[in-house]
Amino acid sequence: MKELPKAYDFRGVEEKWYRYWEEKGFLKPKLDPKRPRFSVVIPPPNVTGKLHVGHALNTTLQDVIVRYKRMDGYDTLWVPGTDHAGIATQNVVEKALAKEGLSRHNLGREKFLERVWQWKEEYGGAIIEQLKRLGCSCDWSRLRFTMDEGLSRAVREVFVRLWEEGLIYRGDYIINWCPRCHTALADIEVEREPTPGHLWHIRYPLADGSGYIVVATTRPETMLGDTAVAVNPEDERYRHLIGKKIKLPLIGREIPVIADKEVDPEFGTGAVKVTPAHDFADFEIARRHGLPFVKVMDEDARMTKEAGPYAGLDRFEARQKVVEDLKAQGLLEKIEDYEVVLGKCYRCDDIVEPLLSKQWFVKMKPLATPAIAAIERGFTRLIPENWKNLYFDWMYNIRDWCISRQIWWGHRIPAWTCKDCGEITVSRNTPEACAHCGSQNIKQEEDVLDTWFSSALWPFSTLGWPEDTPELRLYYPTSLLVTSFDILFFWVARMLMMGLHFMGAVPFRDVYVHALVRDEKGQKMSKSRGNVIDPLIMIEKYGTDAFRFTLVALAAQGRDIKLAESRIEGYRHFVNKIWNAARFVLMNLDGFEKIDLTQAELPRESLWILSRLSKTVAQVRRALDEYEFDQAALTAYHFFWHEFCDWYVEMSKRFLNEGGEARKLAQNVLLEVLETSLRLLHPFMPFVTEEIWQALPHEGESIMVAPYPKPVKEFEDESVEAELERIKEAIVAIRAIRADYNIHPTADIKAIFRAEKEESLRLFEEFSPVIKQLARLSELVLQKGGERPHGAAQAVLSEAEIFVPLEGLVDIEAELKKLAKEEAKVLKELSRVKSRLENEGFLKKAPKEVIEKERVRRKELEEKLEKIHENMKRLKELT
RNA sequence: GGGCGGAUAGCUCAGCGGGAGAGCAUCGGCCUUACAAGCCGGGGGUCACAGGUUCAAAUCCUGUUCCGCCCA
């Protein structure tokens, strides 16, 4: 038998097995229509990305399930890939160019894109290598990238079809504009942040000179673009002014006072300025009332010539100047402190401006309706379920999706505008001429599509759509999507909409939504806070298995994960524990001969551990099936360490020393439990389990393709489990006496078990070898009733009393104290049980089993109490 | 303002109708030939607060306080 080194060193081991799995093709699906299938697509990380702890959690959870299913006989496919991350990647490359003193505008579109591709080839693969370090079992031969040729074709196909169906349109709308990234953003790409600001109260004089109306605004510079003042039609204060004209200060334009029910009379003065080109609500008001749109700020957030004397000023300078000028003209009534909610770009954090511009949109209502139904009817399950509410809330209030981005890196919109007739031609292939007038004077749209547009197609585009591929037929819909809640709407909802629309079926059966990983104080990890835990550093330090196990053990549903490095360190100890248990088994495997354990005549101790093993297997499987990752991990952990190692391994030493048949049986049981546990743990800790498994007698090429353990009902035995609980209780009681009296662990002692009942004594007699072994007794005396020994330390169990004679050493005061403490505990419990059993309602309404359980408990407690009292009495007589 | 989640041992968290648990930390004793990254034993909690439902509440309901997140 192979002997293992004394401590587990993961270095070298992880790379070795990962290479082996890849070379052997274990990561690949079988494309076997006869087997049940399990498929997953990875949430594609940004190609610019670096593995952070969120990726690590997400990937580990997927791998746990994927490995479980693969071992459990499913034909398993896990598609990996990356996302081109338009804005983020463009920003990164632009930054690099800036260091060379270049900008994308110097280079021009074509050259710039070449540079991005170059950058992608050079650095884009980093995160893929990092995912491998985590041990994730994706099929790397199917690595996809959202800008790949195949995926780009899918994007075009979708765009063209949606256009043809009238679900894509182009128009002048108000959108979120990032002046720094120089592009439109979707609503959800804007992060809102409450910021201290002001509310300026400005006097707007009536054109007829009969007075003024005061409007309140948080953005005074936009007044230059006002085309009305609006009040609520119910508002008595302003009713007489409706229809009158205002002479807009600083600009002199005449604008009307209008009534609109959306105006909140409680806000400010109840009269609001309407700036249709620079405010979402005002845009809607203007559309309802047919007001003109005056754009006073451009794409750089500078004032346009419409802003008259303010033209050319930056938005913040303009604000200052406008306020000064109003003050100078005596039109500024007051300035209040006011908290404003600023929209910020989720990529660069610059303040987003609502801006009127020409953009492309997808109509959402027709796509959202089936996607709502899919969740309502359970075609796709959200786990945990409470995300459903948020999902429905979002989906019912969905607004059209602005999909055009004014950047270069991305899928260029396949639309060509004719310079002659002005019509748009949308086409799968680059057209020669305008589809409307035949003119060749056509020009392709400059804008690219939102990155999420291509991600929305991910579950079918990666499987080959629009081609009709075997993969698509076999693995769509996918089985599971694991993702973080923050992209539920960005991504998951859109995949549902696109999947339903183009495939006619939901893209995934289950969506497991995991939490955010925070630091140990519950704060979001961020570079600026300096509290980031780098997964790669953790892997270097503690090994992948320990790191993965920690994440899984902390992944309780519906709760954020607070990760502390000490937890990882703690679970590294578990890895080492497994290693050493394996070492022990291997050291004792000489002359090993396999036997059929279900046919063997085994000692009760061995029946016990096999029963516990079977139940543990069932519990772990159930937890995994329910995506209760923490329960799965902790159940396996507890069994392996605190049942197998702490008890059975110790018990087995006796059998091993005995030699002969006893040794042979013990070898088989040890190996069975160890090997099964390794398979049980493999999805959580792929590397150490493989390393050990390969060193054990085994069948097959790798643990990752060995069958996942199944419960063995023949091994489950309640009575054996109950017996062992009593035996363990007795052993612990004797060990406690040792500790109390500072008796050296190796010093031999004698114990007397006194019980009234024959059957109790029989139990202790049957198990006396193991009690003697684990409590280190030189002698175990069984005494039926009779006088209690003098000069002994003692412990009271429910059906026996244990005495350890300590001639002259017994501290009577200490013994009394111990008993008094025990007495208090028993009394408290007994009074609770008694009052319950005296309660008529309880006896009438509680289930029979519960009542019976309480009765048994009462009896046990009473017996125990009696023994405590007798022992106390006796001890007192001695003083 | 609306919605969701949380408050359980010093810390991090399970448990979510019938005997308060785990890991870490802590205290005491042990290098007992698998493991000191270990073993054995111990201490530590009016389960946020106030009501209610129930035979029975940490667990279900209502309200309050505090904390976090999302949306407006």
Side-chain angles (χ1 to χ4, degrees):
Chain A
M1 257 341 123
K2 213 159 127 184
E3 191 159 326
L4 301 174
K6 193 164 172 171
Y8 174 59
D9 185 5
F10 57 87
R11 274 165 260 267
V13 170
E14 301 183 354
E15 288 81 2
K16 177 181 73 184
W17 291 117
Y18 202 87
R19 221 178 310 119
Y20 178 75
W21 297 332
E22 251 190 309
E23 280 165 8
K24 284 281 183 179
F26 296 147
L27 309 179
K28 293 187 179 171
K30 304 272 183 286
L31 287 143
D32 178 357
K34 291 191 287 294
R35 289 170 70 177
R37 286 169 294 280
F38 192 84
S39 56
V40 177
V41 291
I42 203 168
N46 291 354
V47 69
T48 55
K50 204 174 148 256
L51 190 80
H52 58 64
V53 69
H55 293 125
L57 171 69
N58 177 265
T59 310
T60 300
L61 297 181
Q62 286 174 80
D63 198 44
V64 167
I65 299 292
V66 165
R67 284 181 184 270
Y68 164 46
K69 293 292 179 179
R70 187 186 290 116
M71 289 175 77
D72 209 24
Y74 289 80
D75 181 21
T76 304
L77 167 63
W78 187 6
V79 182
T82 51
D83 188 307
H84 67 278
I87 300 173
T89 308
Q90 176 156 325
N91 283 352
V92 169
V93 177
E94 281 192 281
K95 236 179 245 170
L97 286 176
K99 279 188 193 149
E100 303 170 32
L102 292 169
S103 79
R104 68 177 161 123
H105 301 285
N106 305 140
L107 282 177
R109 187 165 189 144
E110 212 169 305
K111 279 259 159 24
F112 176 74
L113 288 179
E114 265 173 41
R115 286 293 296 258
V116 183
W117 277 107
Q118 208 181 320
W119 186 92
K120 186 250 166 192
E121 293 310 320
E122 206 165 329
Y123 305 105
I127 194 152
I128 295 303
E129 290 313 307
Q130 293 167 342
L131 290 175
K132 292 183 182 176
R133 290 291 306 278
L134 274 174
C136 71
S137 57
C138 303
D139 177 5
W140 299 108
S141 69
R142 291 167 190 276
L143 186 68
R144 294 289 183 272
F145 178 51
T146 46
M147 288 282 281
D148 277 351
E149 212 185 311
L151 273 66
S152 299
R153 215 154 70 78
V155 167
R156 269 202 179 192
E157 183 66 31
V158 164
F159 187 93
V160 172
R161 284 204 210 168
L162 289 175
W163 171 263
E164 286 168 351
E165 293 166 35
L167 291 173
I168 282 183
Y169 62 92
R170 191 171 85 129
D172 289 300
Y173 288 89
I174 189 148
I175 45 88
N176 302 290
W177 182 268
C178 174
R180 211 221 56 82
C181 297
H182 231 259
T183 181
L185 298 172
D187 296 332
I188 49 176
E189 289 173 326
V190 178
E191 277 167 13
R192 297 181 201 270
E193 200 175 294
T195 315
H198 303 285
L199 195 58
W200 284 271
H201 292 247
I202 307 168
R203 287 179 187 171
Y204 277 22
L206 291 162
D208 61 11
S210 65
Y212 59 83
I213 187 167
V214 178
V215 299
T217 179
T218 59
R219 296 162 67 219
E221 70 282 8
T222 63
M223 68 163 288
L224 306 168
D226 285 359
T227 56
V229 166
V231 297
N232 191 291
E234 305 295 317
D235 195 334
E236 295 298 336
R237 294 172 295 177
Y238 300 112
R239 196 167 270 182
H240 64 290
L241 294 174
I242 295 166
K244 291 207 169 189
K245 294 278 182 199
I246 295 270
K247 191 158 186 250
L248 189 62
L250 310 181
I251 290 284
R253 185 164 59 233
E254 284 206 355
I255 60 173
V257 177
I258 58 165
D260 192 287
K261 59 182 183 343
E262 290 299 306
V263 175
D264 175 10
E266 304 293 317
F267 175 80
T269 59
V272 296
K273 52 196 273 319
V274 179
T275 322
H278 299 283
D279 184 279
F280 285 91
D282 295 359
F283 178 82
E284 295 300 330
I285 293 175
R287 295 234 286 185
R288 282 197 287 274
H289 296 268
L291 299 172
F293 298 80
V294 177
K295 197 166 156 182
V296 290
M297 202 184 286
D298 67 12
E299 281 68 18
D300 291 317
R302 288 186 177 278
M303 307 315 281
T304 65
K305 60 178 187 296
E306 295 282 358
Y310 304 92
L313 289 181
D314 167 81
R315 51 183 162 168
F316 302 113
E317 294 166 357
R319 173 175 299 177
Q320 210 175 351
K321 190 97 197 311
V322 164
V323 169
E324 272 169 26
D325 292 351
L326 287 169
K327 201 184 283 176
Q329 296 184 21
L331 295 173
L332 196 61
E333 190 155 291
K334 61 171 173 176
I335 307 174
E336 281 180 296
D337 286 333
Y338 189 80
E339 191 180 72
V340 293
V341 179
L342 286 183
K344 295 198 167 173
C345 172
Y346 83 131
R347 286 291 174 211
C348 75
D349 220 32
D350 198 15
I351 298 171
V352 164
E353 288 293 333
L355 207 66
L356 187 70
S357 70
K358 202 175 271 305
Q359 301 288 345
W360 295 80
F361 295 86
V362 177
K363 278 189 196 159
M364 287 312 231
K365 278 272 185 282
L367 294 170
T369 307
I372 291 168
I375 297 286
E376 264 171 355
R377 296 192 199 159
F379 296 142
T380 290
R381 289 201 306 156
L382 289 181
I383 301 141
E385 269 207 330
N386 44 345
W387 292 108
K388 270 162 76 169
N389 287 335
L390 192 59
Y391 174 84
F392 290 135
D393 192 48
W394 272 339
M395 293 299 268
Y396 281 120
N397 296 308
I398 201 163
R399 297 208 303 174
D400 286 354
W401 176 15
C402 174
I403 50 169
S404 42
R405 295 291 179 275
Q406 287 65 45
I407 55 173
W408 290 348
W409 175 238
H411 301 279
R412 196 162 169 183
I413 290 177
W416 286 260
T417 307
C418 177
K419 286 184 182 163
D420 294 330
C421 74
E423 292 290 330
I424 293 170
T425 303
V426 167
S427 168
R428 288 171 181 83
N429 304 307
T430 306
E432 302 273 313
C434 172
H436 304 273
C437 71
S439 161
Q440 293 192 354
N441 196 9
I442 55 172
K443 190 167 171 282
Q444 187 173 4
E445 175 64 57
E446 294 284 335
D447 293 355
V448 301
L449 289 165
D450 181 2
T451 306
W452 296 104
F453 190 89
S454 51
S455 323
L457 320 179
W458 189 249
F460 50 93
S461 66
T462 53
L463 295 175
W465 191 89
E467 298 294 319
D468 180 19
T469 61
E471 283 85 349
L472 205 55
R473 267 180 276 151
L474 284 171
Y475 302 111
Y476 190 95
T478 65
S479 315
L480 170 67
L481 181 82
V482 177
T483 188
S484 160
F485 72 85
D486 50 350
I487 54 173
L488 202 57
F489 202 45
F490 272 98
W491 191 45
V492 180
R494 286 166 178 170
M495 282 191 287
L496 273 161
M497 292 189 264
M498 291 299 195
L500 284 161
H501 194 73
F502 289 97
M503 296 296 297
V506 292
F508 19 71
R509 300 282 178 223
D510 285 357
V511 177
Y512 177 77
V513 182
H514 66 247
L516 244 52
V517 183
R518 300 174 179 281
D519 75 0
E520 54 203 304
K521 294 187 209 85
Q523 292 195 301
K524 222 168 171 169
M525 288 189 191
S526 71
K527 272 188 204 150
S528 52
R529 282 201 186 91
N531 59 352
V532 177
I533 290 184
D534 183 339
L536 294 165
I537 294 174
M538 295 303 113
I539 286 173
E540 292 289 332
K541 235 167 134 178
Y542 303 107
T544 298
D545 291 323
F547 180 59
R548 279 174 63 124
F549 198 84
T550 308
L551 292 174
V552 176
L554 293 176
Q557 285 186 13
R559 226 197 236 251
D560 283 344
I561 293 177
K562 289 184 206 162
L563 183 62
E565 194 172 331
S566 62
R567 300 302 299 259
I568 306 170
E569 201 182 339
Y571 286 118
R572 180 187 56 173
H573 298 174
F574 181 46
V575 177
N576 200 242
K577 189 75 183 176
I578 299 170
W579 182 257
N580 276 292
R583 240 163 61 80
F584 172 79
V585 173
L586 276 168
M587 277 175 182
N588 289 288
L589 232 44
D590 48 290
F592 174 73
E593 254 177 75
K594 194 172 163 61
I595 58 165
D596 182 355
L597 286 174
T598 58
Q599 302 302 315
E601 199 150 317
L602 294 169
R604 310 288 278 167
E605 291 93 322
S606 296
L607 293 175
W608 169 73
I609 197 68
L610 291 170
S611 178
R612 294 298 312 136
L613 174 68
S614 177
K615 287 197 185 169
T616 302
V617 166
Q619 279 175 40
V620 171
R621 289 185 83 109
R622 188 207 58 81
L624 287 175
D625 290 337
E626 304 289 323
Y627 306 108
E628 289 173 7
F629 291 95
D630 59 325
Q631 293 303 323
L634 295 174
T635 301
Y637 174 96
H638 186 264
F639 169 77
F640 194 85
W641 197 320
H642 298 301
E643 297 194 289
F644 180 55
C645 290
D646 286 355
W647 290 97
Y648 188 73
V649 166
E650 293 306 320
M651 290 169 171
S652 77
K653 288 175 182 173
R654 199 176 86 251
F655 305 134
L656 292 172
N657 288 335
E658 212 172 293
E661 186 66 10
R663 179 176 172 86
K664 195 170 139 189
L665 291 175
Q667 286 176 328
N668 271 276
V669 175
L670 283 168
L671 187 62
E672 170 71 15
V673 178
L674 174 64
E675 198 270 346
T676 307
S677 300
L678 291 175
R679 281 183 286 124
L680 193 66
L681 285 163
H682 178 259
F684 310 100
M685 319 181 124
F687 296 112
V688 70
T689 50
E690 181 78 295
E691 177 75 2
I692 297 168
W693 192 83
Q694 294 282 352
L696 296 176
H698 63 271
E699 280 166 36
E701 288 185 288
S702 163
I703 193 173
M704 80 171 276
V705 290
Y708 202 68
K710 290 198 168 91
V712 182
K713 287 287 167 207
E714 299 111 285
F715 286 150
E716 292 183 20
D717 187 334
E718 295 300 332
S719 66
V720 163
E721 290 196 21
E723 280 175 6
L724 261 292
E725 279 317 305
R726 308 210 140 162
I727 299 308
K728 282 160 68 182
E729 188 192 8
I731 293 167
V732 168
I734 299 168
R735 285 172 176 172
I737 290 172
R738 273 185 184 279
D740 286 346
Y741 283 94
N742 239 328
I743 302 165
H744 196 273
T746 53
D748 283 336
I749 56 172
K750 171 181 166 183
I752 300 158
F753 280 55
R754 179 186 177 279
E756 306 289 348
K757 273 181 294 182
E758 194 63 48
E759 55 173 300
S760 302
L761 289 172
R762 257 206 312 275
L763 177 75
F764 293 119
E765 182 171 23
E766 189 192 344
F767 284 94
S768 73
V770 68
I771 297 171
K772 283 166 81 174
Q773 178 205 0
L774 297 187
R776 291 198 172 247
L777 300 180
S778 55
E779 199 184 346
L780 194 166
V781 179
L782 297 166
Q783 179 186 327
K784 181 152 189 274
E787 205 179 324
R788 292 173 171 82
H790 287 265
Q794 54 198 280
V796 178
L797 311 179
S798 46
E799 56 191 327
E801 294 150 76
I802 300 175
F803 298 89
V804 174
L806 294 166
E807 216 51 61
L809 285 175
V810 177
D811 178 344
I812 294 176
E813 285 305 314
E815 288 296 314
L816 274 170
K817 233 166 122 184
K818 204 165 76 184
L819 284 169
K821 197 179 156 191
E822 189 69 14
E823 181 198 24
K825 226 166 94 183
V826 172
L827 277 174
K828 193 177 155 201
E829 180 65 12
L830 191 59
S831 83
R832 199 191 58 77
V833 173
K834 271 184 168 166
S835 73
R836 209 178 246 203
L837 284 167
E838 281 156 15
N839 184 329
E840 253 180 68
F842 176 74
L843 295 172
K844 241 183 354 220
K845 296 189 178 172
K848 254 189 286 175
E849 312 85 73
V850 175
I851 297 172
E852 188 49 35
K853 217 168 132 190
E854 294 290 321
R855 286 207 170 114
V856 169
R857 197 181 300 158
R858 178 174 61 186
K859 193 158 155 267
E860 283 176 359
L861 288 167
E862 278 171 344
E863 285 173 6
K864 194 165 180 180
L865 190 65
E866 199 193 319
K867 286 177 210 144
I868 290 169
H869 285 156
E870 279 168 31
N871 279 295
M872 286 174 95
K873 203 173 117 199
R874 194 182 48 89
L875 282 170
K876 278 182 188 147
E877 284 165 8
L878 291 175
T879 51

